[in-house]
């Protein structure tokens, strides 16, 4: 419990550079004063509760005392590392043709994509884009889901990373059908054009269909109520995409 302090040998190599053999052997970041397990706690907890509260929780649990800034830096560093992995995976797939290593296979993959806007610390707004892919549902639960979330990525880059993320779970060569569900926003609907599969179909959820049609009508409520059962019965509006990318 509490702080754990230890001493380690510092060496100077032939080039005059300082070396920490123990740090290198344990793969510890240079100059880091927070252990990997403590850093993991700060990232996991700091993603859900305020940074100062996270620092307090670690102290309550018997860990070292750290500042809110240390928690913030931990979360940011983890996010940057994950984003770097996702971008590299997309580059490997779309530039070099190297597919990610998948741990399962499915003939049909269901994909949902959406975004939400959040206010940043400087007062500006940024969109969090998110996608989830899975092999179907069982008792309302997604089977083998794989997720991606990012901020500040252009739609094209987002979909490249999304497809690479899907490939990390499902063997892309084995996927024959993709069903994409969105709210109708162009950057998500057009994601179907980024998917190089023979059978890709896009669906818009009924709620957004009703709302959009209702806004176009002079008597929105009455018209929406009149067409609701007919549109809703088909489970949404469907866009089919052929293998040549035309919608």
């Amino acid at each position: 419990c509490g702080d754990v302090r230890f001493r380690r040998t510092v060496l100077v190599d032939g080039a005059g550079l300082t070396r920490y053999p123990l740090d290198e052997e344990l793969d510890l970041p240079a100059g880091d004063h927070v252990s990997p397990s403590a850093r993991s706690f700060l990232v996991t907890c700091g993603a859900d509760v305020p940074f100062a509260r996270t620092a307090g929780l670690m102290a309550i649990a018997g860990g070292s005392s750290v500042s809110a800034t240390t928690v913030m830096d931990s979360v940011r560093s983890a996010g940057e590392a994950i984003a770097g992995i996702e971008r590299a995976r997309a580059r490997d797939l779309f530039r070099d043709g190297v597919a990610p290593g998948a741990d399962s296979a499915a003939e049909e993959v269901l994909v949902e994509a959406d975004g939400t806007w959040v206010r940043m610390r400087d007062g500006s707004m940024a969109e969090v884009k998110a996608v989830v892919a899975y092999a179907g549902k069982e008792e309302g639960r997604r089977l083998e889901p794989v997720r991606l979330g990012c901020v500040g990525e252009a739609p094209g880059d987002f979909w490249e990373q999304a497809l690479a993320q899907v490939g990390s779970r499902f063997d892309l060569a084995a996927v024959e059908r993709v069903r994409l569900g969105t709210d109708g926003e162009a950057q998500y609907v057009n994601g179907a054009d980024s998917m190089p599969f023979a059978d890709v179909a896009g669906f818009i959820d009924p709620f957004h269909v009703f709302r959009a049609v209702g806004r176009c009508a002079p008597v929105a409520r009455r018209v929406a109520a009149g067409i609701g059962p007919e549109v809703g019965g088909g489970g949404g509006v469907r866009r089919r995409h052929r293998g040549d990318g035309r919608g």
Side-chain angles (χ1 to χ4, degrees):
C1 296
D3 289 330
V4 177
R5 301 181 182 274
F6 58 90
R7 296 179 180 273
R8 64 212 193 280
T9 301
V10 181
L11 302 181
V12 179
D13 63 16
L17 301 176
T18 301
R19 300 280 300 275
Y20 295 84
L22 179 60
D23 293 45
E24 295 173 7
E25 179 67 24
L26 298 178
D27 197 25
L28 298 177
D32 199 348
H33 295 282
V34 180
S35 70
S37 59
R39 188 74 73 184
S40 177
F41 174 87
L42 297 180
V43 171
T44 303
C45 189
D48 290 324
V49 302
F51 298 145
R53 177 59 177 160
T54 296
L57 288 173
M58 192 168 83
I60 292 174
S64 301
S65 297
V66 298
S67 66
T69 300
T70 298
V71 181
M72 180 179 66
D73 291 341
S74 300
V75 176
R76 285 183 173 178
S77 297
E80 291 169 357
I82 294 171
I85 293 172
E86 292 166 348
R87 293 185 184 117
R89 186 180 290 159
R91 286 195 302 269
D92 291 343
L93 176 61
F94 286 90
R95 185 188 62 188
D96 303 327
V98 179
D103 52 23
S104 64
E107 293 184 358
E108 181 178 78
V109 175
L110 308 180
V111 180
E112 300 172 17
D114 202 354
T116 185
W117 289 86
V118 297
R119 186 173 298 280
M120 309 298 286
R121 290 169 60 89
D122 61 3
S124 63
M125 299 295 292
E127 185 181 23
V128 180
K129 296 182 176 69
V131 64
V132 58
Y134 50 98
K137 288 186 177 181
E138 187 175 277
E139 297 181 352
R141 299 181 61 183
R142 299 182 178 96
L143 300 179
E144 301 183 84
V146 58
R147 298 177 173 87
L148 170 78
C150 59
V151 179
E153 300 287 356
D157 295 333
F158 166 71
W159 280 111
E160 287 187 356
Q161 293 179 35
L163 188 59
Q165 189 79 345
V166 172
S168 70
R169 175 61 48 81
F170 305 108
D171 182 1
L172 297 178
V175 177
E176 297 181 0
R177 297 178 303 280
V178 173
R179 300 296 179 256
L180 172 63
T182 68
D183 62 1
E185 187 177 349
Q187 65 173 326
Y188 300 114
V189 171
N190 294 337
D193 295 331
S194 303
M195 299 184 183
F197 305 106
D199 185 1
V200 181
F203 295 83
I204 302 175
D205 67 89
F207 170 80
H208 289 88
V209 174
F210 298 160
R211 187 173 66 177
V213 174
R215 287 174 176 172
C216 296
V219 188
R221 183 175 302 174
R222 185 172 61 194
V223 173
I227 67 170
E230 297 179 14
V231 176
V237 174
R238 174 173 176 160
R239 292 184 63 203
R240 286 200 65 85
H241 293 261
R242 294 184 287 273
D244 58 7
R246 294 177 293 163

